[in-house]
Amino acid sequence: MVDIPSNLQVVRDKIAAAAAKRVSEYQFIQPQLVAVSKFHPAESVIRAYEAGQRSFGENYVNELSEKATCSEVLDKCKEIQWHFIGHLQKSNVNKLLKVPNLYMIETVDSEKIASSIDNAWPKFGNQDNAKLKIMVQINTSREEAKSGCDIDSAASLVKYILEKCPNLDFVGLMTIGEYGYDLSKGPNPDFCTLCMSKTKICQELDLNPKEVKLSMGMSTDYEHAIELGSSFIRVGTAIFGDRPKKPT
């Protein structure tokens, strides 16, 4: 059996070490670990929660809904915060917004999806009418198989959300980036592109850079992402072990 508590501690130690290496302009950022439980059972989520983890990420709406509504998760993980980190289709918006303890959607990539979420959230939000936290996903690697808005249209999408989506709280920018990038070649260009996009968007829209977060970095490159200023890192395999095959 995978020792999830020990793996979590190793990741936390590496996060702290990477954060200490950052240049002064990024020292104010406190990296937050999002444990990606994709294809792993609810029992693994509970074990990680009991080891102190609170933020969890899922890629598929159906899987997230199933885990989040699991009676044991609801009973034992009352302070859990779910991040949706997969591609979201309009037909699944309502199902996603019904998820208990939904904390953030990191993958808003079009005005259409933003509007759909914004229009539906009041029906599912909590009693105090809090806005739903969202991030704009950018396809920094320009790969056709990847989701995310085009780099050049990111600023206009952020502007649209800020001006036209009163129920959404724009938190920052997210990217997946190229898989298996060789860091011996230098800084990951996708991470650098996301950082440059943030700078450009903040300048164009007069936003405070310290209030715009970045979500980048996974099990193989989260330390590098932290050094470049990432606020959220999405780690699965390093915590839960090899990912099981997708359920049929």
Side-chain angles (χ1 to χ4, degrees):
M1 182 180 290
V2 176
D3 190 342
I4 292 176
S6 294
N7 289 348
L8 266 173
Q9 190 56 54
V10 169
V11 172
R12 289 170 182 152
D13 290 343
K14 289 183 176 181
I15 289 172
K21 296 178 182 178
R22 291 175 303 189
V23 297
S24 57
E25 66 178 295
Y26 298 143
Q27 287 296 324
F28 73 94
I29 300 171
Q30 183 63 43
Q32 182 174 331
L33 172 62
V34 178
V36 181
S37 45
K38 176 181 176 183
F39 299 160
H40 290 279
E43 289 80 3
S44 294
V45 171
I46 294 169
R47 286 164 61 199
Y49 185 93
E50 291 175 342
Q53 182 62 24
R54 291 295 178 266
S55 299
F56 291 81
E58 284 289 341
N59 291 70
Y60 299 103
V61 174
N62 287 342
E63 185 177 4
L64 171 54
S65 178
E66 184 177 331
K67 287 179 187 171
T69 57
C70 169
S71 58
E72 277 196 288
V73 171
L74 289 171
D75 181 54
K76 297 180 179 180
C77 309
K78 297 186 184 301
E79 296 179 356
I80 198 168
Q81 295 179 337
W82 290 107
H83 291 232
F84 184 71
I85 58 173
H87 178 60
L88 179 60
Q89 296 178 320
K90 186 177 179 181
S91 59
N92 282 327
V93 166
N94 283 358
K95 186 168 187 177
L96 175 60
L97 298 187
K98 289 179 184 177
V99 167
N101 298 307
L102 177 66
Y103 181 75
M104 185 186 298
I105 299 175
E106 295 195 15
T107 50
V108 175
D109 59 5
S110 69
E111 292 182 6
K112 178 181 176 182
I113 283 293
S115 290
S116 182
I117 298 170
D118 181 68
N119 291 332
W121 180 241
K123 294 183 291 185
F124 302 105
N126 53 31
Q127 296 291 331
D128 59 4
N129 296 317
K131 296 183 178 183
L132 176 63
K133 298 180 185 298
I134 63 97
M135 302 188 90
V136 166
Q137 181 180 3
I138 302 178
N139 186 352
T140 52
S141 58
R142 299 183 188 272
E143 297 175 66
E144 290 187 8
K146 291 231 178 90
S147 301
C149 70
D150 184 76
I151 297 168
D152 297 326
S153 63
S156 63
L157 176 54
V158 173
K159 186 174 188 291
Y160 179 85
I161 291 168
L162 292 173
E163 295 181 351
K164 305 293 185 181
C165 300
N167 298 307
L168 304 185
D169 178 15
F170 169 71
V171 173
L173 308 172
M174 178 265 210
T175 193
I176 294 175
E178 177 186 346
Y179 292 114
Y181 175 75
D182 184 358
L183 290 177
S184 67
K185 298 178 181 179
N188 188 314
D190 291 314
F191 296 171
C192 292
T193 296
L194 196 68
C195 292
M196 288 187 289
S197 295
K198 171 183 170 178
T199 299
K200 179 182 178 183
I201 289 169
C202 288
Q203 290 174 345
E204 287 188 18
L205 304 180
D206 194 26
L207 302 178
N208 183 349
K210 289 189 175 182
E211 295 179 357
V212 178
K213 302 180 185 298
L214 298 179
S215 175
M216 58 187 190
M218 298 186 284
S219 286
T220 58
D221 54 17
Y222 66 88
E223 294 166 272
H224 176 58
I226 289 171
E227 290 184 42
L228 293 182
S230 187
S231 303
F232 297 101
I233 53 169
R234 310 179 303 272
V235 180
T237 303
I239 296 170
F240 297 106
D242 291 336
R243 189 167 290 148
K245 291 182 178 180
K246 183 178 180 179
T248 56

